[in-house]
Amino acid sequence: GVWPRLFYCLRCGDLVAAKSILQQFGNSTNTSNDDTSHMDPSVSNIISQLAKLQQTQESIFGDSTNSNTRPAQPLQHSLLHPSPTMMQARRSVADLYERAKTRSQSSEMSMDEPFLYYRTACLAMLGGAESISEASTLVKSGLVKTVEDYLYASLWHAVHLADGASSSTVIGGAGGIGGGGGGGGLRKVSEAVARLSVLVNQWGPSYFEQDDTVNTNDMYTGASDAVAYAAQGGTVGGATPSHNKVPSSGGWAFALPLLATQQYAMALAYLAEAGGGLGLLQAAHLGVVMDVAGLSIGDFTLVERSVSQQTLLPMLVASYSASLQGVDAGAALKYLVLLSDKGKFVKEQVQRLLLETHQFETLAGAIQPDGSRSNAALDAYFSKKQVSTILVDAANHAIRVGKPADAAELLVLSGRFGALFELMNRELASYLNASTPEDFEKRQWVLLKFHESTISFHV
C-alpha cells in the first residue's frame, strides 16, 4: 500500500522519494484496495512542497555533497522557515489527522483498512499537530520501537512547531536553535528541544547503554581524571585509574541522543569518560571539527550557558595531546596549536610539553655554530619572538620547580644569556663549599654549563 511506503520515506526524511511514491500510485491502474481513496489533495500538496524544499539533497534536513560529487551548498530555505503556503497546507493535513484520530477511536475502525496506523502516522507527521511518539492512537501501532524512532519522531515534531514568524527570527548562533530567545517563530521549537534534552538527561546512560556483555578486559582511565591531571601538568598515563568498563558502544549509545538534543558539552564529556582512550580521541576530534564549523560547544538550554562549558574543548585537546607526547612530541604539539585562539592556555600547555618531554631539540631546535637557533617544530606555528617568550617562561617555571638544568638549556635556546649567567652564578654560589661527592658533581656541571654558555654568547 501507499501509506507504509510514505511513512518510511518520512522516517528517512526523503520527501523526494515520497513524492515519487505518490506519483507511482497515482498512475497505477490497480484500484483493488482503498489506499488512494484516502489520499486527500492536501497530502499531495504538502508532500510536493516539501519535495521542492529538499531539491537534490539526500534528506530534507540538510545539504549533502551527493557522495562528494559537488561541494556542500548553503540552504536557502528549511523546515524552520515555512512559507505561508506551507503553513496553510500543514493546517489542512492537521485537520485530516484530527478526523483520523476520531475515527480510529471509534468502532468504525475495521480490518478492511490494514494501513490505518500508517495513514494516521503520516498525517500526524505532515500536519505537525502531534508527535507520533506521544500520540495515544498510535501506542499499539509498533511504529515507534527504538530510541532512534523516538528521537526522530520527537525532533520531527519539534521542527514542525516553527510558524511563519520564524522567517524573521534569527537563529541564535550556529550552536543551537533559537538560543532561547525570541517569542513565537522558533520559540516553540526551542522549548520542544529543551524538553527532550531534559528527558534524555533524566534517563541517563544506563537507559541507552543496555548492554550486559561488557568486555571486562576493556578497562580505562576516566577522562575526567586524565583531563584534570593534564591541566595540573601531568600526563594522561599518570592519572589515577578509575577502572571503569568500556560499554560495547564505546559511549556512543548515550552520546548520540545527547548530540541530537544539542547537549554538545555533555556528549563530548561522556564520550571521553565512557569510551576510554578511543573515546577521548573521538571526543577531541569531534570537538575540534565542531569548533572549526562555528558550533558553540555547550549544552543547549533556554537560559545562558555556563562559562565552565567553554573550557571543555581545550581540556579535551590538551588531554589527548598529553597522551601522544611520550610517542611523538611533534604530533602532540600539532594538536595544541589547533587551539590557537586560546592564547595563554596554549602557551602554558606548550611549556608543559617542553618540560615533560625534554624534547628541546625537536620542539625548539639547537644552537648553530654561529650562535643562532635552528628552526624546529615550534617555529612552524609561532614567530621567533613568540618562541623565545615560550622558552623563557618555560625556563622560569623549571627554576621554580627546582630544575636548573632544564632552565639553563631553555635559556640558551632563547638567547637570554644574561638571565643564564645569573642562574649559573646562583647555582655556583650554592655549591662553592662542596662537602659531598654529589655536591661536587653538581658544581662541576654548573662550571661546564657556564663554559658552554660563555662560548655560545661570544659566538
Side-chain angles (χ1 to χ4, degrees):
V2 63
W3 292 109
R5 289 173 171 81
L6 277 182
F7 173 78
Y8 288 110
C9 286
L10 296 178
R11 177 63 180 81
C12 297
D14 192 346
L15 275 298
V16 173
K19 182 179 179 181
S20 176
I21 293 294
L22 285 186
Q23 292 172 341
Q24 292 175 23
F25 275 82
N27 297 328
S28 174
T29 57
N30 179 14
T31 57
S32 59
N33 69 49
D34 59 350
D35 278 349
T36 54
S37 66
H38 290 262
M39 190 61 63
D40 190 278
S42 59
V43 175
S44 301
N45 182 19
I46 188 67
I47 289 179
S48 296
Q49 291 191 50
L50 292 171
K52 184 178 180 180
L53 186 67
Q54 181 178 334
Q55 298 180 352
T56 60
Q57 300 161 188
E58 294 180 356
S59 166
I60 196 171
F61 298 110
D63 185 42
S64 68
T65 61
N66 285 344
S67 300
N68 293 321
T69 58
R70 64 172 176 79
Q73 300 172 353
L75 294 177
Q76 301 299 320
H77 303 284
S78 74
L79 289 172
L80 295 175
H81 297 78
S83 65
T85 304
M86 183 173 293
M87 290 298 300
Q88 180 59 44
R90 280 185 190 173
R91 284 190 286 269
S92 298
V93 177
D95 291 339
L96 291 176
Y97 170 67
E98 292 300 327
R99 292 201 291 270
K101 279 179 57 178
T102 302
R103 182 183 178 190
S104 64
Q105 293 168 353
S106 69
S107 58
E108 297 179 26
M109 179 178 172
S110 61
M111 294 303 294
D112 62 355
E113 192 172 356
F115 304 119
L116 178 62
Y117 282 133
Y118 286 105
R119 179 175 183 271
T120 304
C122 287
L123 295 177
M125 295 181 74
L126 292 171
E130 189 175 18
S131 171
I132 62 171
S133 61
E134 299 175 358
S136 58
T137 55
L138 297 173
V139 171
K140 299 179 180 180
S141 67
L143 298 180
V144 180
K145 298 178 181 178
T146 65
V147 171
E148 290 79 6
D149 290 338
Y150 183 89
L151 289 173
Y152 183 90
S154 299
L155 292 173
W156 173 282
H157 176 63
V159 298
H160 280 74
L161 292 174
D163 58 34
S166 64
S167 60
S168 60
T169 302
V170 178
I171 297 180
I177 296 174
L186 297 177
R187 181 67 186 187
K188 292 181 179 179
V189 180
S190 301
E191 291 172 348
V193 173
R195 185 167 56 251
L196 183 59
S197 69
V198 170
L199 288 175
V200 172
N201 279 290
Q202 287 177 346
W203 292 331
S206 60
Y207 180 85
F208 298 93
E209 301 282 7
Q210 295 181 350
D211 177 30
D212 296 327
T213 58
V214 179
N215 186 350
T216 56
N217 293 323
D218 291 336
M219 312 299 283
Y220 74 89
T221 295
S224 60
D225 297 333
V227 170
Y229 195 74
Q232 297 170 3
T235 64
V236 171
T240 302
S242 56
H243 297 301
N244 296 311
K245 297 177 181 178
V246 178
S248 61
S249 74
W252 284 102
F254 186 46
L256 283 176
L258 289 171
L259 290 171
T261 54
Q262 298 189 14
Q263 303 298 291
Y264 300 138
M266 184 172 290
L268 294 179
Y270 175 77
L271 187 60
E273 179 72 27
L278 179 59
L280 178 60
L281 178 151
Q282 294 170 334
H285 284 76
L286 180 58
V288 169
V289 171
M290 292 170 68
D291 186 56
V292 171
L295 288 172
S296 178
I297 304 177
D299 293 333
F300 172 70
T301 63
L302 296 179
V303 296
E304 293 185 1
R305 291 183 177 88
S306 170
V307 176
S308 62
Q309 294 174 345
Q310 300 174 7
T311 65
L312 175 64
L313 178 60
M315 299 309 294
L316 285 174
V317 174
S319 185
Y320 182 67
S321 170
S323 72
L324 298 176
Q325 65 186 38
V327 179
D328 190 339
L333 176 63
K334 288 182 179 179
Y335 278 92
L336 291 178
V337 297
L338 291 174
L339 304 170
S340 57
D341 61 331
K342 302 299 186 286
K344 181 180 178 181
F345 178 85
V346 174
K347 292 181 179 179
E348 289 174 348
Q349 292 300 313
V350 172
Q351 293 168 26
R352 175 189 58 78
L353 180 63
L354 279 164
L355 294 172
E356 288 182 0
T357 64
H358 291 87
Q359 297 291 315
F360 298 151
E361 186 171 347
T362 299
L363 296 171
I367 297 298
Q368 302 298 296
D370 62 355
S372 63
R373 181 180 63 82
S374 63
N375 286 337
L378 285 171
D379 295 282
Y381 309 105
F382 302 97
S383 66
K384 288 286 186 182
K385 183 178 180 180
Q386 289 174 323
V387 172
S388 179
T389 300
I390 290 172
L391 294 174
V392 170
D393 290 342
N396 289 333
H397 182 78
I399 293 171
R400 289 194 296 271
V401 297
K403 296 182 178 180
D406 291 346
E409 291 189 51
L410 292 167
L411 288 173
V412 170
L413 289 170
S414 69
R416 303 295 177 88
F417 293 101
L420 175 64
F421 294 152
E422 291 180 9
L423 172 64
M424 293 302 179
N425 285 331
R426 288 198 303 270
E427 291 297 312
L428 186 59
S430 65
Y431 296 114
L432 281 177
N433 298 319
S435 59
T436 65
E438 182 181 358
D439 288 345
F440 181 78
E441 289 181 4
K442 289 181 178 179
R443 185 177 69 181
Q444 292 301 107
W445 176 86
V446 172
L447 289 172
L448 177 62
K449 284 296 179 181
F450 188 88
H451 177 68
E452 292 175 352
S453 302
T454 302
I455 294 175
S456 298
F457 175 73
H458 285 292
V459 170

